[in-house]
Amino acid sequence: MYRYLEQRLAQRLLEFLRGRYPEATLPAVVIEQPPKVALGDFAIPVFPFAKPLRSAPLKIAESIGAEIGSIEGIAEFKVAPPGYLNVRIDRAWLAQALARDSVPSETVAAGKILVEHTSINPNKAAHIGHLRNAVLGDTFVRLLRYAGCEVDVQNYIDNTGVQVADVVVGFTHLAKKSRTEIEALTREPRFDYYCWDLYARVSQWYEQDKQNLKARSETLHAIEEGNNETAAVAEMIASAVLRQHLETMDRLDIEYDFLPRESEILHLHFWDAAFAKLKDAGVLIYENEGKNKGCWVMRRAGTGVTLAEPKRKMRQGAQDYDSEIDDILTEIGTQAGVDLGAREISEEDQKVIVRSNGTVGYVGKDIAYHMWKFGLLGRDFGYRKFYRYPNQHECWISSVDGEKDHPHFGDVAEIYNVIDARQSEAQSTVIEALRGMGHNEAADHYTHFSYEMVALTPRCAAELGYTLSEEDKARSYVEVSGRKGFGVKADDLLDQLIVSAKGEVDSRHPELADEERQSIARQIAVGALRYFMLKYTKQSVIAFDFKEALSFEGETGPYAQYAVVRANGIFNKAGMDADDFAGKVASKISAEDFSQFLNGEAADEIWELWLASSKTSYVVNQCITTTEPAYLAKHAFQLAQLFNAFYHRYPILSEANEKRKQFLLATVAVVRRELIRTLAVMGITVPPVM
RNA sequence: GGGCGCGUAGCUCAAACGGAUAGAGCACGGGAUUUCUAAUCCCGGGGUUGCAGGUUCGAUUCCUGCCGCGCCUACCA
């Protein structure tokens, strides 16, 4: 509702200004939120209008407030020095709309959206870095779905890379296991943990003697080749580890629709199709000399002069974009002696796509894969059922020979790739390749959802028994490394959270059956973990520390869950059903009652709760446009915090004035509803008791 | 060397688009309801937003330079 009102206000303001000052070129109207509710609910800084209108900010604010006329849902305009026009929402109007839970119709962009996340190499157990990726990705999927978008979720599996080869080498050369022995191991519950250790051992083994690396290249070659014993073993291992990753993520309620694998990109010759198109478009250049002699190379993203990017940014950002900029940029290019059609790329700006031996690197495969995503490749995967979730949801996997009946993946309008910041150059290269082939539309709808890594604090590393170099000890964090077996495994962390939560539940609710306490503990653990991964903004490196991650107090998931449990407690005590009450709120409280109980300074505190409750869709929208789910966590925390203060200050069931009691119950019901929704988008459910 | 990012309270982090007195949590000190209540609430100390300039009515936010830190920069994936 808040978003709806903001849009309406912005529109009316624009109409008014255009009508009132037809000659003046006016800056864009910005609508902000005042620092305090007492000031108002929206704030419009009018400073930018002072110069074009040749008038003092306060005067302008005054005239707008006086002349704009009435707007439904807006109560009044108030001028505030040094130059703000503050807007008060009609509190009763908004409360009624919220009580009815009326959702203004929204237009959703047409076309399917593809979100790719998780993408763990299937050669070891998932660790906390992977958890951040999966939680961010899954939450973004939920955000898009909440906004009404149609979304496919993909988890890309690199099952033919060196990482898988390494663990195969571990089984064959170090553990010396036969195929049947390995097969038996894959059925063990923590096969991925076994691989975790083996992978670390293999890395050490390579370091002991560089000759050992021969085993790696032979194995890798055999895997890529396919149709042999080594490839079959690799496939068996990768599939088993993948299955365990899916189980791990399912513990956090994270599901996928499709698992495209590199092996099919290879065996279905996606690259051949892409290669031909890239050569035709002149994106790839054959290098005749230098260190990259005999390779097909591409210009590294971000090097050289390109006009497309700055122009696009200007178009999006500036309303007064002037086509003259076009000419200016071309002029600059000419003066600098840059011929945009030039084929020469300096050696350091070259990115090798096809090696001199004719094999393609991973960026090349990624380009082909992304052409497939946008339906630009002219080829498709085969599809096979791979994993059925307990809720019967089917997850498909790529296959050379697919099943006859299958859903259609790919060919989407927009994609989001949740991949950590270290890969931003590779991502940009793929985007530039699309642009180079003339697929600007696709490139514009390609978003690298970039985030920073999860690292360990030196203290945490010490707790886990790792010995650090003096240099590392001095750092504020140390990068995790699957190769070294250095990190916190996802399942271990979740197990630890569950144990910790279970202890709390046991002491608080000894009357419950153990099974029930276990289930509550799981919900709390998932809430804590998912919240923890979401509360940091994407570009912040999470320096992981057990103390922070295991906390259930303050700005945490359990804090927010607890607020809902408290709200439920009120209704339970009153012998009412919370959802049922929420559905009838609108008919129970008249506009006069709302008006009476929400207006006046004393009501500001409760109004703040209603106002915050109205912001869910506003926040969801903000999260999507900025690809930043952290705002959602902030919203949940704010709702919970306001509610807890309210809960403490206002006794509800003992309220003598019956109308006021109904109003207070309505407040609880609406906040509860919005908090449950917000948590659901974060993938967090609420236990019956805590 | 080049590219990207970061630097805010003792610690971990907020402050989208430049806006009103830079906010939370943790930690620390003090306090709270016979109630729907303690995974909670209230109060308190804590800050020259790395440094120096610039643009602006206004800068944590934009620009330039410097200092410090991280990541990327393979014919690995």
Side-chain angles (χ1 to χ4, degrees):
Chain A
M1 283 315 298
Y2 186 81
R3 189 157 92 91
Y4 174 67
L5 267 182
E6 190 200 38
Q7 285 167 350
R8 182 190 282 178
L9 177 63
Q11 200 187 338
R12 279 295 296 276
L13 214 56
L14 201 68
E15 281 167 13
F16 170 78
L17 290 167
R18 278 198 189 134
R20 181 79 158 67
Y21 309 101
E23 294 92 21
T25 45
L26 295 171
V29 180
V30 178
I31 298 183
E32 294 172 352
Q33 297 174 35
K36 279 181 184 153
V37 270
L39 292 167
D41 306 307
F42 296 107
I44 305 158
V46 291
F47 309 100
F49 295 93
K51 209 175 259 180
L53 298 184
R54 298 189 185 176
S55 181
L58 281 174
K59 277 200 168 153
I60 296 167
E62 228 162 276
S63 79
I64 295 173
E67 295 168 39
I68 193 165
S70 75
I71 301 173
E72 192 191 8
I74 302 296
E76 63 165 334
F77 291 86
K78 237 160 66 184
V79 176
Y84 293 95
L85 181 60
N86 288 330
V87 184
R88 273 173 62 95
I89 290 175
D90 181 336
R91 296 183 173 184
W93 183 90
L94 183 83
Q96 273 201 307
L98 260 182
R100 277 195 306 267
D101 196 17
S102 56
V103 184
S105 65
E106 299 246 8
T107 47
V108 179
K112 207 185 248 189
I113 299 175
L114 170 52
V115 177
E116 175 188 321
H117 66 81
T118 306
S119 305
I120 310 168
N121 288 323
N123 71 324
K124 57 169 184 302
H127 60 61
I128 48 175
H130 303 126
L131 275 182
R132 186 178 197 183
N133 183 303
V135 170
L136 283 171
D138 182 64
T139 302
F140 197 67
V141 169
R142 290 166 188 264
L143 280 162
L144 290 170
R145 287 183 175 153
Y146 187 89
C149 303
E150 190 187 352
V151 187
D152 273 349
V153 188
Q154 284 186 197
N155 176 0
Y156 179 76
I157 310 299
D158 180 7
N159 60 340
T160 56
V162 283
Q163 290 88 349
V164 172
D166 283 346
V167 80
V168 171
V169 168
F171 275 109
T172 53
H173 291 67
L174 288 179
K176 303 214 186 288
K177 300 283 185 196
S178 70
R179 182 171 172 173
T180 39
E181 285 172 316
I182 298 171
E183 196 169 3
L185 279 170
T186 61
R187 285 192 286 268
E188 295 287 318
R190 293 220 154 149
F191 177 64
D192 55 344
Y193 277 38
Y194 185 93
C195 293
W196 173 281
D197 295 330
L198 198 53
Y199 184 42
R201 274 175 64 200
V202 173
S203 302
Q204 283 182 344
W205 185 63
Y206 290 149
E207 273 171 32
Q208 281 164 20
D209 187 351
K210 298 289 169 200
Q211 287 296 309
N212 293 337
L213 284 166
K214 253 168 70 183
R216 169 196 268 181
S217 53
E218 283 166 13
T219 305
L220 183 59
H221 185 72
I223 292 172
E224 285 179 351
E225 189 80 17
N227 288 320
N228 57 63
E229 180 73 9
T230 306
V233 168
E235 150 90 34
M236 191 170 72
I237 293 167
S239 290
V241 173
L242 170 58
R243 221 168 265 280
Q244 301 204 321
H245 289 163
L246 296 185
E247 282 166 13
T248 300
M249 294 309 169
D250 191 34
R251 295 179 79 190
L252 295 162
D253 297 326
I254 297 171
E255 299 181 358
Y256 312 89
D257 299 314
F258 180 47
L259 312 167
R261 294 187 295 183
E262 183 157 283
S263 53
E264 275 67 47
I265 290 181
L266 230 53
H267 298 139
L268 294 170
H269 307 289
F270 275 26
W271 171 244
D272 296 346
F275 193 22
K277 291 181 203 275
L278 286 163
K279 280 192 286 195
D280 282 352
V283 175
L284 288 182
I285 297 147
Y286 187 78
E287 187 59 34
N288 285 304
E289 51 199 22
K291 70 174 178 130
N292 295 330
K293 185 176 177 183
C295 298
W296 287 89
V297 302
M298 228 188 104
R299 177 177 286 286
R300 196 180 289 286
T303 66
V305 177
T306 56
L307 298 186
E309 185 60 11
K311 267 167 59 184
R312 193 173 65 84
K313 280 188 179 157
M314 282 176 204
R315 282 205 191 91
Q316 286 179 342
Q319 294 192 335
D320 53 351
Y321 170 73
D322 190 343
S323 65
E324 279 175 35
I325 289 171
D326 231 338
D327 305 333
I328 293 167
L329 283 172
T330 311
E331 179 69 22
I332 292 167
T334 312
Q335 282 180 5
V338 178
D339 175 6
L340 295 168
R343 287 285 177 270
E344 293 292 314
I345 309 171
S346 72
E347 208 166 75
E348 60 180 16
D349 289 346
Q350 290 175 6
K351 173 79 193 163
V352 172
I353 304 297
V354 181
R355 303 175 194 115
S356 55
N357 66 6
T359 59
V360 60
Y362 89 106
V363 177
K365 284 178 253 184
D366 221 22
I367 293 169
Y369 172 43
H370 283 89
M371 289 173 71
W372 169 83
K373 283 186 179 177
F374 284 114
L376 301 169
L377 190 68
R379 298 196 182 190
D380 198 4
F381 291 104
Y383 300 90
R384 205 156 45 73
K385 285 181 185 144
F386 181 73
Y387 190 90
R388 181 176 293 193
Y389 291 98
N391 63 11
Q392 303 305 307
H393 172 210
E394 202 75 61
C395 177
W396 294 74
I397 197 165
S398 64
S399 162
V400 173
D401 306 306
E403 293 175 25
K404 223 173 154 196
D405 292 319
H406 61 81
H408 183 59
F409 296 106
D411 206 358
V412 298
E414 183 156 22
I415 66 169
Y416 290 90
N417 290 342
V418 183
I419 305 177
D420 78 62
R422 285 170 289 196
Q423 298 217 43
S424 60
E425 191 181 283
Q427 287 289 295
S428 305
T429 305
V430 176
I431 294 173
E432 285 312 310
L434 289 171
R435 241 179 246 294
M437 285 183 287
H439 301 306
N440 281 311
E441 178 82 0
D444 288 343
H445 289 93
Y446 184 127
T447 303
H448 173 203
F449 186 116
S450 169
Y451 65 94
E452 270 295 347
M453 62 185 171
V454 181
L456 303 186
T457 59
R459 189 178 73 175
C460 177
E463 279 168 17
L464 288 164
Y466 298 106
T467 41
L468 294 180
S469 65
E470 287 305 315
E471 199 183 345
D472 280 343
K473 276 183 201 163
R475 295 176 200 272
S476 52
Y477 55 81
V478 192
E479 196 173 348
V480 301
S481 164
R483 197 169 286 284
K484 292 178 192 151
F486 176 67
V488 176
K489 294 189 215 40
D491 285 300
D492 282 351
L493 176 59
L494 191 52
D495 289 344
Q496 215 169 318
L497 279 161
I498 291 173
V499 167
S500 176
K502 180 76 171 14
E504 297 287 335
V505 179
D506 287 346
S507 67
R508 284 158 212 251
H509 297 284
E511 78 284 0
L512 296 176
D514 188 66
E515 199 181 317
E516 199 171 345
R517 293 199 301 261
Q518 185 67 30
S519 149
I520 293 167
R522 190 200 80 93
Q523 282 178 289
I524 292 169
V526 170
L529 183 51
R530 293 192 63 132
Y531 194 98
F532 178 79
M533 290 297 174
L534 291 169
K535 75 180 198 181
Y536 299 91
T537 51
K538 295 179 301 177
Q539 76 273 16
S540 156
V541 175
I542 297 181
F544 183 84
D545 194 317
F546 280 104
K547 192 169 148 279
E548 292 266 337
L550 289 171
S551 170
F552 296 152
E553 284 163 24
E555 196 180 344
T556 66
Y559 176 89
Q561 289 170 314
Y562 186 61
V564 177
V565 168
R566 286 179 137 183
N568 289 337
I570 296 171
F571 287 102
N572 290 342
K573 190 84 173 189
M576 290 189 275
D577 181 86
D579 291 317
D580 183 57
F581 184 87
K584 295 178 191 156
V585 166
S587 62
K588 282 181 193 270
I589 296 152
S590 65
E592 293 75 43
D593 293 340
F594 272 130
S595 183
Q596 182 194 339
F597 297 125
L598 279 172
N599 286 309
E601 239 173 79
D604 277 357
E605 194 182 350
I606 297 181
W607 164 244
E608 219 172 331
L609 260 177
W610 285 85
L611 183 65
S613 299
S614 76
K615 287 183 181 172
T616 305
S617 73
Y618 174 85
V619 172
V620 165
N621 189 256
Q622 186 189 8
C623 289
I624 293 172
T625 55
T626 58
T627 57
E628 178 52 271
Y631 297 119
L632 203 57
K634 275 274 155 348
H635 180 58
F637 181 62
Q638 203 206 350
L639 284 175
Q641 201 175 35
L642 287 170
F643 178 76
N644 275 330
F646 164 83
Y647 183 79
H648 181 260
R649 187 157 318 182
Y650 300 92
I652 294 166
L653 297 181
S654 58
E655 171 61 48
N657 178 337
E658 183 56 27
K659 282 189 169 175
R660 184 169 166 82
K661 181 174 171 182
Q662 292 299 313
F663 164 72
L664 292 174
L665 279 169
T667 306
V668 177
V670 169
V671 176
R672 173 186 171 275
R673 184 189 72 205
E674 294 304 319
L675 193 45
I676 288 174
R677 276 183 189 163
T678 304
L679 289 172
V681 179
M682 295 173 74
I684 297 172
T685 56
V686 179
V689 294
M690 277 178 78

